[in-house]
Amino acid sequence: MTTPTPDWAARFSQRMARVRANEIRELLKLLDQPDILSFAGGIPDPGLFPAARIQAAYDAILSDPAQAAVALQYSVSEGYLPLRRWIAERMALYGVPCDEHNIMITAGSQQGLDLLGKLFLTRGDTVMVARPTYLGALQAFNAYEPDYLDLPAGALDGEADTEALMAGRAAHPLGYFVPDFANPTGESLTLAQREALLDLAQTLDMTLIEDAAYRELRFDGEPLPTVLALDIARTGSIEAARTLFCGTFSKTISPALRIGWVCGPRAVIEKLVLLKQGSDLHVSTPNQMAAYGAVAEGYEQHLGMLRTAYGAKAHATLQALERHMPPGVTWSRPEGGMFVWLWLPDGMDGKALLERSLIEERVAFVPGEPFFAEVPAANAIRLSYSLPTHAQIEDGVARLARLIARS
């Protein structure tokens, strides 16, 4: 007698209908094909990892019996105390006076987004996002079944009716924004726009998530205050702020360590700790200790090297776009981070362009459509300049421009 195979799709929870494959994760598989010239991944250049420093940190931890006993044992969910204290000191440099009780270590900033979604979102709640926004945040929030609201163009410049935004929607929305060198656009909010975002949050009684994944990678222009710092300047204390800051070492030290953090009021951190205890108990302690060893000394010099390297690649990309792109294509001009966003001529579809590009030019990039939460736009693509060499950037942009010109 043959036992029938269970109909697993019928047994999954309703929320799984909102959980779909990450197109960027799928595109990473293309990196295994040696003849593909890829602008797709958006991942750090492995040649810039401080591997020797990380190895030295692990060696020091595991060669000392006392440290090894701490590293290999269960630990507290809040995170490794010396690392939390270092992060609190770093946050103070951002204009965010706080202590270790305002910090929780997460498995990358992605886990921070997931836990914040779990903490704040009930089915039908509103999440306000930029247009476009980070695909990983949408994936983190989708499981909690929210409704999305794209922030209208010009809303932070006084060109949209912000009072009417929440008409007919659930109260107390959650706002998610990447103020510095956003993924996917590479664009940043101006100081006036950051203040306007806080004004809007106060008007709508909105909780804000500030994703600062790329903040340390500024290679042009002058640093701007974090939204959390501006919030504290208004309210007088992190405990009175409505902004929650998500940081990470994935872009500056190593993504494989999976070390991120959430900084916010103690009342929020305490609840996040409870959720983390039900999730993974705590982030790998050896990884936390190694991360601390890697940043405790020489971090600014390391950041300077990253900024120089990524800045040179960004400038090479922008120059290649100027030389090769046909009329009708426009693009962002990032001052940091890893991305350039291209708007294609009206009627051109980024997904269809990718299919042709892989066959005809062997160039990979990410179509723009998945980055839109509410109303999609097909005529956009994202280029990441973090991995290609300068020669590959020139060649790849020229190939892509030829394809667009004949499309």
Side-chain angles (χ1 to χ4, degrees):
M1 180 177 179
T2 302
T3 302
T5 301
D7 182 2
W8 291 114
R11 302 181 186 207
F12 296 150
S13 66
Q14 290 184 0
R15 72 176 65 92
M16 287 306 297
R18 300 281 296 271
V19 179
R20 298 182 177 87
N22 184 323
E23 297 192 24
I24 299 174
R25 296 283 109 188
E26 294 300 311
L27 280 168
L28 283 173
K29 299 174 184 177
L30 295 170
L31 300 180
D32 294 332
Q33 301 180 27
D35 66 328
I36 291 286
L37 202 164
S38 179
F39 294 103
I43 57 179
D45 182 344
L48 302 179
F49 294 155
R53 185 176 298 182
I54 293 171
Q55 180 178 349
Y58 278 117
D59 289 345
I61 293 163
L62 297 177
S63 64
D64 181 333
Q67 286 202 73
V70 173
L72 301 177
Q73 186 55 277
Y74 284 112
S75 187
V76 296
S77 298
E78 290 87 342
Y80 183 54
L81 182 57
L83 180 60
R84 289 163 53 217
R85 285 177 172 164
W86 185 93
I87 290 171
E89 292 173 359
R90 189 78 185 173
M91 295 301 302
L93 297 178
Y94 299 160
V96 179
C98 65
D99 62 28
E100 65 270 19
H101 301 292
N102 299 110
I103 307 291
M104 185 184 78
I105 305 298
T106 59
S109 59
Q110 189 68 24
Q111 185 186 48
L113 297 178
D114 176 63
L115 294 177
L116 288 167
K118 185 179 293 186
L119 180 61
F120 286 107
L121 294 177
T122 302
R123 178 189 289 185
D125 283 352
T126 298
V127 179
M128 181 183 292
V129 295
R131 176 178 168 80
T133 193
Y134 172 48
L135 176 57
L138 301 180
Q139 286 196 300
F141 300 147
N142 278 346
Y144 307 109
E145 303 176 274
D147 293 330
Y148 289 105
L149 173 61
D150 289 340
L151 186 66
L156 299 183
D157 299 309
E159 299 173 5
D161 183 3
T162 57
E163 297 290 339
L165 286 177
M166 292 297 295
R169 294 177 177 267
H172 313 299
L174 182 67
Y176 169 80
F177 294 91
V178 187
D180 296 288
F181 325 123
N183 181 359
T185 65
E187 295 175 340
S188 301
L189 297 181
T190 66
L191 178 59
Q193 289 170 333
R194 293 168 199 236
E195 294 283 12
L197 180 59
L198 284 171
D199 291 340
L200 179 62
Q202 183 173 355
T203 298
L204 301 180
D205 195 15
M206 179 166 61
T207 300
L208 287 176
I209 297 174
E210 177 178 15
D211 188 340
Y214 303 93
R215 178 176 172 82
E216 298 279 29
L217 299 181
R218 174 179 287 278
F219 44 72
D220 285 327
E222 294 298 321
L224 293 172
T226 66
V227 175
L228 178 53
L230 296 173
D231 196 346
I232 292 173
R234 294 182 177 204
T235 61
S237 166
I238 191 171
E239 304 303 334
R242 65 172 67 248
T243 305
L244 308 169
F245 182 102
C246 290
T248 181
F249 292 129
S250 291
K251 310 304 185 293
T252 58
I253 298 297
S254 163
L257 291 180
R258 308 309 303 136
I259 305 296
W261 68 91
V262 178
C263 178
R266 291 192 188 190
V268 174
I269 299 299
E270 289 168 0
K271 291 297 184 184
L272 289 174
V273 168
L274 296 179
L275 292 176
K276 188 164 177 59
Q277 289 170 354
S279 175
D280 64 354
L281 298 183
H282 61 83
V283 175
S284 165
T285 306
N287 287 6
Q288 293 186 68
M289 295 173 74
Y292 175 66
V295 300
E297 295 182 5
Y299 189 51
E300 286 299 337
Q301 292 88 336
H302 175 68
L303 290 178
M305 180 268 294
L306 295 181
R307 291 163 182 156
T308 298
Y310 289 130
K313 289 187 175 186
H315 297 151
T317 303
L318 294 175
Q319 291 165 8
L321 290 169
E322 292 283 358
R323 279 193 293 270
H324 299 296
M325 277 296 156
V329 181
T330 60
W331 52 88
S332 61
R333 299 182 181 276
E335 294 184 333
M338 299 180 175
F339 306 106
V340 175
W341 180 258
L342 273 65
W343 285 106
L344 305 172
D346 289 341
M348 191 172 291
D349 186 295
K351 287 185 179 179
L353 187 70
L354 175 61
E355 292 175 3
R356 288 187 56 197
S357 182
L358 293 174
I359 295 170
E360 298 176 28
E361 296 291 350
R362 305 299 282 167
V363 174
F365 53 83
V366 180
E369 186 172 348
F371 295 98
F372 292 89
E374 191 177 22
V375 180
N379 64 320
I381 62 174
R382 190 196 75 178
L383 304 184
S384 173
Y385 47 77
S386 59
L387 284 181
T389 65
H390 287 232
Q392 289 171 331
I393 288 170
E394 176 69 19
D395 183 24
V397 169
R399 291 193 218 174
L400 181 58
R402 289 197 301 266
L403 177 63
I404 293 172
R406 65 177 182 262
S407 295

